[in-house]
Amino acid sequence: MSGATDYHGFADGRRVRCVFSAALSLLIAGCATTTGGSYHENLSLSVQVQFYAPDGATVVIRDAENAEAVIRTAGPLADRLEHDFEDFAVFDLAPGTYEFAYADAPGAEGATIYGELEIREPGDERTRRFAAHAFVPIRLASAMGQEAEHLLPSRDLSYTQGLEDREFAHLKQGDLFEQVYFIADLERLQQEHDVHLFQAVNDVDRELAVLDDREEYLDIRYEDARRRSSFRNPDVNVADRVAHQRFDRWGIEEPYVKISRKRQALQRERESLMLERRNLEAQRDRRNALLRSMKIVHRAGALVLATPDLKLPFRDSVEQASELGEVLAVVRIGGRHQYWAWAPQADAAEDAEENTASETTHQPAAHAATQR
């Protein structure tokens, strides 16, 4: 007696049929795909993504066979576990860039929204391990807001309340935005937060303490030099007259003016140190926000969605996420009209109708030619 089990599509979107024979179960388990290799071998070459929201929207990935699905939110707890894979928008994709589209999203009924999905090849062992055993859950923009905090990918709801509404409003006006998913190097980030950045802030504080003494010393010298300059009497004192002539003829400044320039240079140095300190503290805050969102701490890496609390404004999101870990997937949503979604099926239907009409039109002539 033998049975058959279907698995979801791999990098090229084709299905895998694994046939397990009870008679050979003690000797071998066979599992073949149309692209060759075993189920697990193909998984090692792909990154699995699941579009889990908005519920009821239809998503299609361009140039991928069997790459159209309806997004479903399963169960009363809205979990992302495997139930009946036919009901879920799950795709196994090889590293590369894919165009996708989704339609009938809440707030955009009857409209098609286009996007780009970039899958990156895992570079380190931590990311490879995640890609082999887990998936990237993707929430597409819609009027359906997130009601609970993101545990996977990590995303603190307190930082994102209202963000999705603003993103969707911009999207409807033709704007483009991106979502960056990365595997955070938690051990390194913890070390940077607790040790490296902490020490760097203390080093700046020590520099500022030394700067205080240097400024105090120059302040004393400045007041002394300025007081002596104020009491000069060139009509009586020859040295005072020479000092005035040196400035009038050759532009040689009084000592207190030179000291004033040094004081201003120290002030600029103080401003640079204060700016450096603020940047270091901001880096610590961003790492603390990420580490604080980890609900399970006994891990070396975790999938994280880059949100504003983890990034500096007006800087490339992918670049900043790369500083916190390894980027695995980038989703860019919105922008220009593209018109390709679901068009191939409509074009194929129209071609079939035209071919049928053409065959019907030419059939009598062909019959007459055959008789001759």
Side-chain angles (χ1 to χ4, degrees):
M1 180 178 179
S2 63
T5 303
D6 283 339
Y7 291 88
H8 206 276
F10 290 127
D12 59 356
R14 296 176 182 145
R15 294 194 177 281
V16 180
R17 180 169 294 274
C18 301
V19 181
F20 299 96
S21 174
L24 299 178
S25 60
L26 296 178
L27 299 176
I28 186 170
C31 183
T33 74
T34 55
T35 57
S38 70
Y39 173 70
H40 294 289
E41 287 173 350
N42 279 276
L43 279 182
S44 66
L45 301 176
S46 67
V47 174
Q48 187 174 95
V49 300
Q50 178 183 355
F51 296 94
Y52 72 95
D55 187 54
T58 302
V59 62
V60 60
I61 298 180
R62 192 177 191 181
D63 298 331
E65 190 177 333
N66 297 328
E68 180 178 336
V70 177
I71 300 174
R72 298 296 185 194
T73 301
L77 300 179
D79 65 70
R80 304 172 195 165
L81 300 176
E82 180 178 340
H83 296 269
D84 181 355
F85 68 85
E86 295 286 356
D87 292 336
F88 290 90
V90 176
F91 307 96
D92 293 294
L93 301 172
T97 301
Y98 301 84
E99 291 181 326
F100 72 90
Y102 65 105
D104 296 326
E109 291 80 1
T112 300
I113 302 173
Y114 293 89
E116 179 182 84
L117 173 59
E118 179 185 348
I119 301 296
R120 297 199 171 188
E121 184 172 359
D124 60 29
E125 181 59 31
R126 185 184 302 103
T127 307
R128 284 193 293 270
R129 186 164 55 247
F130 178 90
H133 299 285
F135 61 92
V136 179
I138 297 176
R139 179 183 183 85
L140 299 173
S142 72
M144 181 185 297
Q146 183 78 21
E147 297 178 355
E149 68 176 332
H150 298 242
L151 297 178
L152 179 69
S154 172
R155 185 175 181 179
D156 193 330
L157 185 64
S158 62
Y159 286 98
T160 59
Q161 285 181 330
L163 174 63
E164 291 170 334
D165 293 336
R166 294 194 298 273
E167 287 178 342
F168 189 56
H170 276 253
L171 181 68
K172 292 172 68 176
Q173 295 301 315
D175 202 356
L176 171 73
F177 65 92
E178 65 181 7
Q179 301 169 345
V180 182
Y181 299 82
F182 65 97
I183 305 300
D185 186 346
L186 298 178
E187 182 180 7
R188 174 174 63 83
L189 295 177
Q190 184 76 56
Q191 183 77 3
E192 289 178 355
H193 178 270
D194 294 346
V195 180
H196 301 314
L197 292 174
F198 179 76
Q199 291 178 344
V201 171
N202 287 340
D203 288 341
V204 172
D205 288 340
R206 283 187 280 269
E207 289 290 335
L208 288 170
V210 174
L211 194 62
D212 289 339
D213 293 337
R214 293 169 62 191
E215 288 179 333
E216 184 177 356
Y217 169 72
L218 283 181
D219 288 344
I220 295 173
R221 289 189 56 191
Y222 172 82
E223 292 299 334
D224 181 62
R226 191 172 186 278
R227 185 169 51 253
R228 284 190 282 108
S229 177
S230 298
F231 288 101
R232 290 190 188 282
N233 190 347
D235 296 331
V236 176
N237 192 302
V238 176
D240 293 344
R241 188 182 312 121
V242 171
H244 282 200
Q245 291 174 351
R246 289 171 61 191
F247 177 76
D248 294 337
R249 293 180 181 179
W250 299 294
I252 299 177
E253 297 175 334
E254 289 282 352
Y256 82 91
V257 177
K258 297 179 181 178
I259 295 174
S260 178
R261 295 185 184 280
K262 293 182 179 180
R263 294 173 73 200
Q264 296 303 318
L266 289 184
Q267 183 62 32
R268 287 193 294 272
E269 184 177 347
R270 174 179 292 278
E271 292 169 355
S272 297
L273 287 172
M274 292 299 295
L275 179 60
E276 180 182 356
R277 192 184 192 283
R278 284 197 296 270
N279 290 337
L280 291 171
E281 287 286 6
Q283 289 186 54
R284 290 196 75 208
D285 290 342
R286 290 193 295 274
R287 281 152 178 76
N288 182 57
L290 193 155
L291 295 168
R292 188 180 64 246
S293 66
M294 294 296 112
K295 307 304 179 184
I296 300 177
V297 298
H298 303 292
R299 60 174 72 188
L303 181 69
V304 179
L305 175 59
T307 47
D309 54 308
L310 306 181
K311 301 182 294 182
L312 289 169
F314 313 122
R315 272 189 59 191
D316 183 72
S317 298
V318 175
E319 176 187 346
Q320 294 189 72
S322 299
E323 297 173 359
L324 303 174
E326 183 177 4
V327 175
L328 185 60
V330 182
V331 181
R332 300 177 180 90
I333 306 175
R336 64 190 301 171
H337 298 183
Q338 300 186 38
Y339 303 108
W340 60 260
W342 296 281
Q345 295 88 334
D347 293 342
E350 292 178 3
D351 292 342
E353 291 179 1
E354 291 177 1
N355 292 336
T356 302
S358 177
E359 290 175 0
T360 303
T361 302
H362 292 84
Q363 186 173 359
H367 180 66
T370 302
Q371 285 183 332
R372 288 196 296 269

